[in-house]
Amino acid sequence: MARTVWDSSVGKKTVMAVSGLIMLLYLVVHMIGNLKIFFGPGEFNHYAHWLRTVGEPFMHYEWTLWLIRVALVVAVFAHATSAYQLSRRDIRARPNKYVHKKARASYATRTMRWGGIILALFIVWHILDLTTGTVHSGGFQEGHPYQNVVDTFSTWYGNVIYIVAMLALGLHIRHGFWSAAQTLGVGSRNRDRALKTVANALALLLTAGFLAVPVGVMTGLVS
Ligand code: HEM
């Protein structure tokens, strides 16, 4: 049964929609959490510490965080695998022998593919930058994310990488949210306008909320 669903294009699109919505939920929470940086190092670092102690005493230190990490890795993997397989199918099914020599995927499809690749690369960079500190520009300090974030946005390339990724994220969510709604059967003739508005608002809010952090550091509001 699961195999049949996974083998169908609708099944893969459903996997994309559900995993996308899980990641979207994470991003809304992450964006709001990031805005705490405007309340100063004490509050921001305390929040990061709280992320590791949520659920105590039932949960051990970092257990809840690890559960979230595992759910996110599964979501990213499911999203990327179904995207790759759908795009292989799309290429194979293209009637380019008869119609155009080079039939190209639609603008939205190409933007989603490139956006997805940019975001995947960004996530790897971002974790190496602010979670493990491997590629971090300053002296990475475990448990002091406030200073680490300030260091990241004190370099020109840190700003370029994050700003490009946030713009790609906005475009990806704008189209992705809309597609997910269609796949999950939420779309209808009278609802489509409202859905487009929600998709645009979500994309704009997330992009602006995330961008506020580098802009805050660049303008000296966060230092
Ligand atoms: C300006 C934008 C962003 C800033 C300032 C930022 C900041 C941070 C910081 C400080 C951490 C480390 C938290 C800690 O260890 O306590 C973190 C972790 C993380 N961020 Fe972001 N983030 C941004 C955008 C994003 C975006 C767009 C994504 C996803 C597409 C993302 C995904 C993650 C993930 C997956 C982690 C690792 C969580 C973990 O396993 O500990 N972030 N971020």
Side-chain angles (χ1 to χ4, degrees):
M1 166 68 187
R3 181 85 235 173
T4 323
V5 174
W6 173 245
D7 282 344
S8 72
S9 292
V10 179
K12 288 185 202 299
K13 282 185 184 171
T14 307
V15 170
M16 287 208 75
V18 173
S19 53
L21 289 174
I22 292 170
M23 292 189 282
L24 182 63
L25 181 69
Y26 171 78
L27 284 174
V28 171
V29 176
H30 189 26
M31 186 274 279
I32 296 172
N34 281 352
L35 292 178
K36 294 191 83 145
I37 204 156
F38 291 99
F39 296 112
E43 194 157 333
F44 193 67
N45 292 344
H46 176 65
Y47 163 66
H49 177 71
W50 172 80
L51 285 176
R52 284 150 176 88
T53 55
V54 191
E56 278 184 1
F58 180 70
M59 298 300 255
H60 185 66
Y61 184 75
E62 284 202 347
W63 275 11
T64 311
L65 183 63
W66 274 104
L67 280 180
I68 298 171
R69 285 172 174 165
V70 170
L72 278 178
V73 169
V74 171
V76 169
F77 185 76
H79 202 73
T81 313
S82 35
Y84 177 75
Q85 296 186 350
L86 279 167
S87 116
R88 297 296 309 162
R89 264 187 201 182
D90 186 34
I91 290 166
R92 260 183 272 132
R94 226 172 263 166
N96 51 1
K97 272 182 232 137
Y98 307 103
V99 190
H100 305 291
K101 260 227 149 73
K102 265 196 188 164
R104 297 223 285 173
S106 75
Y107 174 73
T109 306
R110 275 181 290 138
T111 318
M112 290 309 273
R113 283 178 195 165
W114 279 108
I117 292 168
I118 291 173
L119 287 170
L121 292 174
F122 166 75
I123 292 169
V124 174
W125 175 268
H126 181 45
I127 290 174
L128 294 176
D129 177 22
L130 288 174
T131 301
T132 64
T134 323
V135 298
H136 192 63
S137 50
F140 181 78
Q141 299 178 59
E142 183 106 44
H144 294 85
Y146 184 94
Q147 191 54 46
N148 295 334
V149 169
V150 170
D151 290 343
T152 287
F153 298 122
S154 301
T155 64
W156 67 266
Y157 61 88
N159 286 310
V160 170
I161 292 171
Y162 279 77
I163 291 170
V164 169
M166 291 318 107
L167 296 176
L169 181 74
L171 290 175
H172 205 78
I173 288 173
R174 184 170 175 237
H175 185 76
F177 182 82
W178 160 258
S179 305
Q182 302 306 318
T183 301
L184 299 176
V186 185
S188 73
R189 215 190 292 171
N190 1 345
R191 238 177 286 151
D192 278 1
R193 260 178 83 107
L195 275 174
K196 279 216 161 112
T197 312
V198 175
N200 288 342
L202 252 176
L204 201 68
L205 267 175
L206 272 170
T207 310
F210 276 124
L211 281 179
V213 181
V215 171
V217 177
M218 281 192 276
T219 53
L221 210 61
V222 175
S223 61

